[in-house]
Amino acid sequence: MANDRQEPDSSKAPTSADVARRAGVSQTTVSQVLNGKAGITRISADTRQKVLDAAANLGYTPNHAARSLRERRTKLIALVMPTIGNPYFSDVVHAAQEVARDAGYSVAVIPMRAAGDLRTSALLQGAACDGIIATGHDNCSSPDLLALKARGLAVVVVQEPSPDPAISSISVDLEEGGYIATRHLIRQGHRRVCHITERLRALPDAESRLGGYRRALAEAGLPFDPELVFVTENSMEGGAAAVDRLLELAQNSPTAAFVYNDRLAVGALARLRERGVNVPGEFSLVGFDGLAIGAFTAPALTTIDSPREAIGRLAAETLIKAIEDGYQTGQTHRLPVRLVVRGSCGGQPAP
Amino acid sequence: MANDRQEPDSSKAPTSADVARRAGVSQTTVSQVLNGKAGITRISADTRQKVLDAAANLGYTPNHAARSLRERRTKLIALVMPTIGNPYFSDVVHAAQEVARDAGYSVAVIPMRAAGDLRTSALLQGAACDGIIATGHDNCSSPDLLALKARGLAVVVVQEPSPDPAISSISVDLEEGGYIATRHLIRQGHRRVCHITERLRALPDAESRLGGYRRALAEAGLPFDPELVFVTENSMEGGAAAVDRLLELAQNSPTAAFVYNDRLAVGALARLRERGVNVPGEFSLVGFDGLAIGAFTAPALTTIDSPREAIGRLAAETLIKAIEDGYQTGQTHRLPVRLVVRGSCGGQPAP
DNA sequence: ATGAAAGCGCTAACAG
DNA sequence: CTGTTAGCGCTTTCAT
């Protein structure tokens, strides 16, 4: 050995031809040994071992591009989300990843802030992945998503209505969640229950939190008052701002709120505290999602827990089935939710 | 047209050969038109337009695998993180993504829970990406990361010490942060300041929060008491558990804590409240990271703000330079932090 | 200004 | 049981 130093980065990665040469066999044999479905008794134990040794010595790793090109599949799933850093989707992703791994797929999360990102991300274009799990309103409703599907990618959407009958969607039962949350507040004696929400969408009642909210109201014989629906930005600041607005309602001001998600609820809770409104004494709150933070707020947050792992698992299973079957069934899964009672809503407030 | 229905998923994606045929030119010309560096006056305006039209009509997208195989580069950067759903890294990722996009790269986030994931993720193996930005202790210190580098991938680590002199690292000045945080508490009159931290690492003082904590103590002539370092799980629950332990200290119990990060601090804050300890009246707290949630806790959290965007930007810039230059410089960037004073630490507590 | 041909690394017919 | 050959879709010399 003239020089044991590691070569610089230029140490070209070994190819299967290198392995073949070193093992004294053909490239085919290398391929067979390394990928051969077990039981294809094609290779002698001796040859097999030689190949394995050579591959190990060389530190051989199959070139992904070459394999993908040849096999016309990548074993890669893209998970598109509006932003990373959302604890809700963290659990979804983890579950999806586990299912994917067991099926031999890897998962890459593609953060999508800008609208055009679906068109520009290298992983989504040119068959760089086999399928897409899409989350977030903008991504799921984008025509670009349909274009990707039209190019042969399998697509599943999560927590959004399916943009195309052939695309499967996995989500929790938002309507039921809204119903349970609102009913819980009404049962505590509240008569004026408001709803704090982000952007209002044109969804059928049966598919939205708002629909459930209205159903609970109707069931209790309470009127639906559009003035009690506060639309705000989807952030903690947004939740706080909504509280400011609802506290301005001089008369008939609400005594409770069903809040779109826990993030908004955390902001609302903070602002109520700042404004000296006692929760749950004077005002009650129910959130949505079941985030961990809800157990650490003051008071802890009553919320609608969403089966995040189940969502991720189902999304991955559905997607992988679509990939491997070569066609999409366009089924809709709607998962049940669960009320988690904590400190943010008490009994009947002072009238 | 016999049938206008979209073909099923089997509508094979058009290739550059298809475009060439349709435009009545050669594949070479198609490639030149579509990728040709501007100014290579090789193609006539007429031909150029024909190709562009044909490509548009066919909805042509270059096949990623084929291009990567041929060019020996993917224009893809992998961002490895222990878990998605961390708001801290969310900002880092966003900034990195922006830089990457401007340089013609896409970013894929690879969640890495299990230790072996670095070896099994398809995106990291077989030159499926050009470089890796790694975060999280386990990933950055893994021998697998070095193996990937040895195979020619560019690597940058974030918020972790560089595992190899050739690997660049970008991080905030943790020591300075620990110093500023602790000094702030001492200046408020606290004499018994504890430190709540996740796993204790064997780092030089100059590179850790703990080092800064000790420096501030020493500067104020206060003894360093190992009993006042509470090691706990890195979660809100962990922060709460640490509070339980520190409140057990019958005598000489601390009146303030410098906490490893905001997540732990949120948990600590919640438990202090539950236990009836007034913050900041009886106990003060400084966190680390500058997460948004800190502005919505009760009281709001004093913290050390970290320049997350700068980190992401620098990480991407450094990585891309390494990719394009073909070698790594192994520089260390250490970014300054900033104290954000909010409600969780007041003046001198009752003695 | 354009085209023909080669080859990136891999797998799968098809021979033997 | 193993090797030869072709070709996935692309870019790029090298001719013309």
Side-chain angles (χ1 to χ4, degrees), chain A residues 163-338:
Chain A
D164 175 311
I167 292 181
S168 295
S169 90
I170 319 285
S171 54
V172 300
D173 194 335
L174 300 173
E175 199 273 349
E176 179 77 3
Y179 171 75
I180 294 174
T182 309
R183 188 184 62 182
H184 179 70
L185 288 166
I186 293 170
R187 285 188 179 168
Q188 306 282 320
H190 294 279
R191 315 303 292 168
R192 297 271 296 169
V193 177
C194 74
H195 180 36
I196 299 177
T197 183
E198 56 120 52
R199 156 186 34 199
L200 231 32
R201 305 199 195 146
L203 285 178
D205 268 4
E207 295 183 16
S208 69
R209 295 164 173 87
L210 181 62
Y213 164 76
R214 297 181 64 156
R215 175 156 66 98
L217 252 33
E219 190 184 82
L222 296 172
F224 168 70
D225 181 351
E227 284 231 325
L228 291 189
V229 175
F230 297 90
V231 178
T232 190
E233 184 205 331
N234 188 1
S235 65
M236 292 185 282
E237 285 79 3
V243 163
D244 285 337
R245 283 162 48 208
L246 76 83
L247 289 182
E248 272 167 22
L249 257 49
Q251 56 190 6
N252 283 330
S253 77
T255 61
F258 159 49
V259 187
Y260 186 83
N261 65 26
D262 288 350
R263 188 148 60 131
L264 285 171
V266 166
L269 222 39
R271 184 55 51 85
L272 285 164
R273 197 165 47 231
E274 276 172 48
R275 304 273 304 244
V277 178
N278 183 284
V279 176
E282 301 174 77
F283 197 93
S284 291
L285 220 52
V286 179
F288 207 114
D289 279 354
L291 299 190
I293 182 71
F296 294 88
T297 52
L301 187 62
T302 294
T303 190
I304 301 293
D305 192 37
S306 164
R308 303 187 279 287
E309 294 78 11
I311 291 179
R313 190 165 8 91
L314 242 107
E317 284 168 1
T318 307
L319 185 74
I320 290 172
K321 181 148 177 28
I323 291 170
E324 308 202 325
D325 291 355
Y327 67 90
Q328 325 212 19
T329 51
Q331 49 197 308
T332 295
H333 289 275
R334 181 161 304 183
L335 276 46
V337 294
R338 197 172 55 89

Side-chain angles (χ1 to χ4, degrees), chain A residues 20 80 107 111 118 158 192 205 223 273:
Chain A
V80 174
V107 169
L118 273 173
V158 167
R192 297 271 296 169
D205 268 4
R273 197 165 47 231

Side-chain angles (χ1 to χ4, degrees), chain A residues 6-14 59-62, chain B residues 78-80 110 112 115-134 138-157 163-164 167 319 328:
Chain A
Q6 292 259 22
E7 325 241 323
D9 295 352
S10 55
S11 56
K12 243 174 106 285
Y60 170 70
T61 315
Chain B
L79 231 149
V80 174
I110 316 288
M112 284 283 110
D117 286 359
L118 272 173
R119 244 191 336 266
T120 52
S121 173
L123 247 204
L124 303 181
Q125 296 299 328
C129 68
D130 294 336
I132 300 177
I133 297 176
D138 293 343
N139 297 322
C140 293
S141 62
S142 164
D144 294 335
L145 189 66
L146 297 177
L148 291 168
K149 176 190 167 271
R151 260 184 229 144
L153 288 188
V155 177
V156 168
V157 302
D164 174 314
I167 292 180
L319 185 74
Q328 326 212 16

Side-chain angles (χ1 to χ4, degrees), chain A residues 102-161:
Chain A
D102 292 349
Y105 287 78
S106 300
V107 169
V109 177
I110 315 289
M112 286 281 110
R113 297 245 184 179
D117 285 0
L118 273 173
R119 241 189 339 263
T120 51
S121 175
L123 247 202
L124 303 181
Q125 296 299 329
C129 68
D130 295 337
I132 300 178
I133 297 175
T135 70
H137 178 70
D138 293 342
N139 298 322
C140 293
S141 62
S142 164
D144 294 336
L145 190 66
L146 297 177
L148 290 168
K149 176 190 168 271
R151 262 188 226 139
L153 287 188
V155 177
V156 168
V157 302
V158 167
Q159 288 298 48
E160 292 288 331

